[in-house]
Amino acid sequence: GDWSSDVCSSDLLQWASAHTVIQPTEHGGYTTEQRNTAMAQFTDHEETLENAIQQLKQPAPQRLDMTRKTLAEWNLPPETEFISFPETDLDMTLQANRRRYSVDYRDFYPNGNASYSALDLLASGRLKGDNPAWTPPYLYEQGAFYPQFLKYKGLPDIPSRFEADFGSWLNSTKAAYEHIIVALVSDLPRQERDAIEKGHVQLYGLRKPTANIALDDDDRNFQPLMARYGFIIHATHEGREHVYEVLPYAGFIRRRDDLTLAPISNAIKLRNSAYMRRGTLLPFDLNAYATGAAPLLNTTSTAVVHFLQGYLPAHHTTARAETWRPLRAAQIGRDVAQRYLFESESKLREAARGVTLFD
């Protein structure tokens, strides 16, 4: 081929070799099959990363937005009023009974049936299908009360639809987060990657300090204080320590040669002490860990180091061939995405559900 494709080809083969996707033959060259493997893996790496980045930009589905959209399709203004209707068989030909379901009655008698908006009712699943438990207020005309005939039967079950859509978004977001972590770790130099692949690895997170020393040593108390957008990898291999900061949301990984983790692990042993609860001045940007922003360099924060999980030295001696996803990196990516995603599932769900009068 031409010169540029040779350069491209040599860069590609270098990438593939560095990622242990292919190994040179004994003559030092590469077969056509290996070149094809290299190309396929590089394309997969780039597409996976691009899709993951796009997915992390996707906002979670919002229950109230879904409800507003549905109401618009049904030409039902979200503020449309409904009054709870009794299950008992009232004779609704009687004006006295009809009057109880009018705005007029409710305005005079505060104990009258409560009214709610179409938005609140549909979002909370109370207007779905053919639900006779709610009626628009009866109208008063020429001395009599009349029902409003609104065609709203067969409205969808918004809570079920929201849960399905939110679950799907959450799974895709976790998968994207995992892919970004794997890609960041796999792009480290071979020797450093080997330390993570084969060594004794511990993951740490940062959390905001707490003034309340009397807190039980219970993880649940600390969850709201966790700065979940970043984590620290500490790998010990062949007598050497390797420390990395990883902030997947910012697409950021960096080696921290300035850090030995001895003070940090000592601090963890002191986790029950007042000193530990109030945090220590550490060379990390806690704001970046809390928000997902790219970290400021050469900065310090008062923070508490929190042990997340550990991995014993690996028994497998060779990396998985013909894929850019190293085994240990894939394991770390999966574990962090499942357990330490940038926000807790309950917080993400709560924000996406929004609040109605029924919540």
Side-chain angles (χ1 to χ4, degrees):
D2 65 346
W3 182 82
S4 62
S5 71
D6 283 350
V7 169
C8 172
S9 162
S10 98
D11 285 350
L12 176 66
L13 294 172
Q14 225 174 342
W15 177 90
S17 175
H19 285 75
T20 64
V21 168
I22 54 172
Q23 300 299 335
T25 61
E26 52 200 56
H27 307 299
Y30 296 98
T31 65
T32 307
E33 195 180 342
Q34 284 179 317
R35 287 166 186 269
N36 292 341
T37 299
M39 192 66 207
Q41 283 297 308
F42 180 71
T43 307
D44 179 59
H45 178 276
E46 294 301 294
E47 284 176 0
T48 299
L49 201 50
E50 177 57 30
N51 293 340
I53 290 164
Q54 289 310 319
Q55 175 59 35
L56 286 190
K57 290 178 182 171
Q58 294 297 319
Q62 303 290 315
R63 180 177 62 143
L64 298 185
D65 288 350
M66 292 167 79
T67 309
R68 285 188 191 94
K69 192 170 173 228
T70 302
L71 289 170
E73 287 163 5
W74 286 69
N75 294 322
L76 198 55
E79 65 280 2
T80 306
E81 235 185 330
F82 284 84
I83 290 177
S84 61
F85 201 71
E87 290 179 18
T88 51
D89 293 329
L90 287 181
D91 181 354
M92 291 309 282
T93 58
L94 296 177
Q95 286 299 314
N97 285 344
R98 286 185 169 192
R99 184 176 175 234
R100 291 171 59 183
Y101 297 98
S102 69
V103 174
D104 159 82
Y105 183 87
R106 196 197 59 233
D107 288 346
F108 281 104
Y109 299 94
N111 300 335
N113 295 17
S115 82
Y116 294 94
S117 69
L119 179 72
D120 282 349
L121 288 167
L122 186 60
S124 62
R126 286 167 170 80
L127 266 195
K128 67 183 180 193
D130 182 4
N131 190 343
W134 298 91
T135 181
Y138 277 53
L139 300 173
Y140 185 68
E141 273 178 36
Q142 298 172 334
F145 291 96
Y146 295 96
Q148 291 186 62
F149 292 105
L150 286 182
K151 293 177 183 168
Y152 70 91
K153 289 179 179 170
L155 282 162
D157 181 347
I158 294 288
S160 297
R161 188 184 280 185
F162 166 73
E163 283 302 332
D165 287 5
F166 178 81
S168 166
W169 171 85
L170 185 63
N171 288 339
S172 299
T173 299
K174 284 179 176 178
Y177 206 63
E178 176 185 330
H179 289 320
I180 286 175
I181 293 167
V182 177
L184 289 170
V185 173
S186 76
D187 283 346
L188 290 171
R190 175 80 180 269
Q191 203 180 352
E192 297 178 33
R193 204 170 65 233
D194 278 354
I196 294 173
E197 273 303 292
K198 299 172 186 171
H200 180 241
V201 172
Q202 290 179 303
L203 305 184
Y204 297 99
L206 295 182
R207 70 169 190 259
K208 296 165 190 170
T210 171
N212 183 359
I213 305 163
L215 272 179
D216 287 334
D217 199 14
D218 181 339
D219 251 13
R220 281 169 305 187
N221 293 329
F222 296 135
Q223 283 314 314
L225 301 170
M226 292 290 289
R228 299 173 62 127
Y229 279 88
F231 63 98
I232 300 154
I233 298 177
H234 176 218
T236 312
H237 183 54
E238 295 177 346
R240 292 188 60 196
E241 280 195 59
H242 304 259
V243 182
Y244 300 90
E245 280 189 278
V246 189
L247 289 100
Y249 208 82
F252 181 93
I253 188 167
R254 74 167 163 155
R255 190 168 142 192
R256 294 293 303 262
D257 287 337
D258 57 317
L259 280 180
T260 56
L261 252 72
I264 293 182
S265 39
N266 291 343
I268 286 184
K269 288 172 193 144
L270 294 170
R271 63 193 271 178
N272 295 321
S273 72
Y275 155 81
M276 191 52 204
R277 297 249 191 261
R278 288 180 176 149
T280 321
L281 199 60
L282 295 169
F284 295 107
D285 180 358
L286 184 61
N287 179 59
Y289 281 69
T291 62
L296 298 171
L297 308 182
N298 307 321
T299 188
T300 55
S301 313
T302 300
V304 178
V305 176
H306 191 90
F307 176 73
L308 297 179
Q309 86 187 69
Y311 305 87
L312 294 171
H315 293 306
H316 58 272
T317 47
T318 53
R320 221 167 10 160
E322 302 202 340
T323 171
W324 59 271
R325 295 176 172 87
L327 277 168
R328 175 66 63 74
Q331 201 178 2
I332 291 171
R334 193 165 49 248
D335 289 343
V336 171
Q338 290 300 328
R339 298 175 201 175
Y340 314 110
L341 191 65
F342 50 85
E343 288 284 8
S344 67
E345 282 184 36
S346 55
K347 211 167 165 187
L348 288 169
R349 181 179 267 101
E350 196 181 310
R353 268 177 61 79
V355 178
T356 70
L357 285 173
F358 296 100
D359 293 311

